[in-house]
Amino acid sequence: MATKKTAARKKFKITYATLGMPSPELHSNFDKSLERVKAKLGQTNPMFIGGQQVSYGETFEDRSPINREWVLGHFQKGNEQHARDALAAARQAFPAWAATPWKERVKILRRAASLIEKRIFELSALLSLEVGKNRLEALGDVQETADLISYYCEQMKSNNGFVKPMAKETSKHSNLSVLRPYGVWVVISPFNFPFALAGGPSGAALVAGNTVVFKPATDTPYMGVELARCFLDAGVPDGVFNLVTGPGSTVGQELIDSKEVDGITFTGSYDIGMRIYCSFTGCAADHYPRPCIVEMGGKNPAIISRKADLDMTAMGVVRSAFGLQGQKCSACSRIFVERPVKEAFVEKLLALTERIRIGDPTQRDVWLGPVINQKAYADYMRYCEELSHTGKVLIGGRHLTDGDLSKGYFCAPTLVDELPLEHPLWKEEMFLPITTIAAVDSLEEAMQHANDITYGLTAGFYSADPDEIEWFFNNIQAGVTYVNRQAGATTGAWPGYQPFGGWKGSGSTGKAGGSLYYVQQYMREQSRTVIKL
Ligand code: NAP
């Protein structure tokens, strides 16, 4: 018989598309887990290499951006040797894991997804403390991880492990197409979705039969350690999933430079992603091409027609511009609105922005938390100063330091008007709660600005006119597009619902996470022909 607790968990299913009214049980489960998590903070955590817990003395501290007095834990400052050890462990474990029948791999990965769901409240509480994400979004990040893993398992199953009969020349022939794993796969994740963007790619790589070396962002090592625990507790064999923590510039770079790596999935900024892509696929004379999935930044536009429903539009734009403090790759950071409706739209936008509750995002009623670290906090002020000289700050533009806010990195959501369209900040990803708005004379003008950029991740459009909607889809250069979405103009995706991947400088493959075409990227095709004697 299901216990009350598991029944509550079963009822709970959150997606970014349905950040609706969660049940009181959900909140009380989260509150209880938060207390439990806070009671055990401050421990020293290992890396996981070849099934062994590795602690070697040199550690770094992980403090919460909500309150710098909260030490979440201590983590190993891994170095180049740890990266090499992890790759060697993954190499050694590869033959047996690749030879494990795909149905068995699916079983183990499904077990990992269920464990994540079982631990969802504690994991989300920790994630909220580590990233500064509000509780519903933290729950969403963890649930999405389980769903991504389950989705890739389902893809394996519905494609019969990607073993497919082909046409035969004669009755004596048997022809097969088989997708097989590459080998050792490196996964490098960003701070902002430290569970879903680590567990999703790792789950795909593993279920496809690769072994994995995973490095989380330095700002979010705790979620990396917890992900490793979920995989290992689910029965992923020794050496099949390895975790190294430490700086990207040392341990990360060693992973990128190694010839022991057969494939990479990197999610992070354009600058680092492009460097990795160019060096990894650059093909040194004594090596060969290897797959490199890089998912990078965005500078995502919302285009607003004079035929839009402005209330719905304002809600969608505010959610996407400021959700997670503007630190989503899909954040709406550029707004192009047709001139006749601009004034009315801005009024609604400001009214909604003023109502945002800012504070400790683990608390039930708080929607906006802190930015991730001291650098982001300082960048915010630097950008605001520049924007107050070159544009007009309509709201925000300051650090928030009242009471306990002074202990964290809190920044006011900021809307900027009248920034000249040739200003570089229209093209730079600030990755902060800052959005710029411009009036345009036509939708064509808006589209020209929207596409005149290196990035091509997400985009939103608001209009009641079906012809305008069709025109938007046909012309916008972005991998993830939304029309008339109140839940978020440019943000929100769920495996099996909205595949998520960028075009142009936002992504290298043109195949999106959580989509029908994702897991195949972790395998290479072998065509098998046998002629019966
Ligand atoms: P980041 O600074 O680019 O770091 C991403 C990861 O790369 C971190 O784990 C980092 O480690 C590591 N790294 C840094 N230098 C490295 C090197 N030389 N070799 C190997 N690894 C290295 O990004 P972030 O600030 O964590 O995340 C924000 C960025 O991610 C934004 O640009 C956002 O748009 C993008 N993003 C994209 C998507 C998408 O799906 N397209 C999703 C989420 C986020 P350290 O932390 O130790 O430096």
Side-chain angles (χ1 to χ4, degrees), residues 351-374:
L352 287 176
T353 306
E354 271 163 15
R355 295 213 316 253
I356 292 174
R357 280 283 310 269
I358 305 171
D360 174 352
T362 63
Q363 299 306 303
R364 183 176 176 154
D365 299 327
V366 170
W367 188 69
L368 209 82
V371 299
I372 188 68
N373 55 27
Q374 177 65 46

Side-chain angles (χ1 to χ4, degrees), residues 188-193 197 215-219 246-249 252-253 256 266-270 272-273 275-276 295-298 328-329 429 431 457 500 506:
I188 295 180
S189 63
F191 77 83
N192 64 338
F193 282 80
L197 295 178
K215 192 207 94 66
T218 294
D219 285 314
S249 54
Q253 191 64 45
I256 299 307
F266 164 88
T267 312
S269 60
Y270 173 83
I272 295 175
R275 268 205 337 254
I276 289 174
E295 308 286 359
M296 301 176 286
K328 292 182 188 173
C329 51
E429 185 187 43
F431 218 56
L457 189 47
F500 192 85
S506 296

Side-chain angles (χ1 to χ4, degrees), residues 165-182:
M166 305 296 286
K168 307 170 175 209
E169 296 92 320
T170 72
S171 60
K172 282 186 150 197
H173 281 76
S174 124
N175 294 333
L176 273 184
S177 156
V178 181
L179 291 192
R180 302 184 63 195
Y182 279 92

Side-chain angles (χ1 to χ4, degrees), residues 357-405:
R357 280 283 310 269
I358 305 171
D360 174 352
T362 63
Q363 299 306 303
R364 183 176 176 154
D365 299 327
V366 170
W367 188 69
L368 209 82
V371 299
I372 188 68
N373 55 27
Q374 177 65 46
K375 180 181 177 302
Y377 192 60
D379 282 351
Y380 169 86
M381 215 52 236
R382 187 170 51 79
Y383 285 129
C384 286
E385 269 162 28
E386 165 68 18
L387 290 165
S388 67
H389 294 125
T390 44
K392 183 172 167 195
V393 176
L394 299 180
I395 191 168
R398 64 202 169 85
H399 284 150
L400 299 171
T401 52
D402 284 352
D404 277 351
L405 295 189

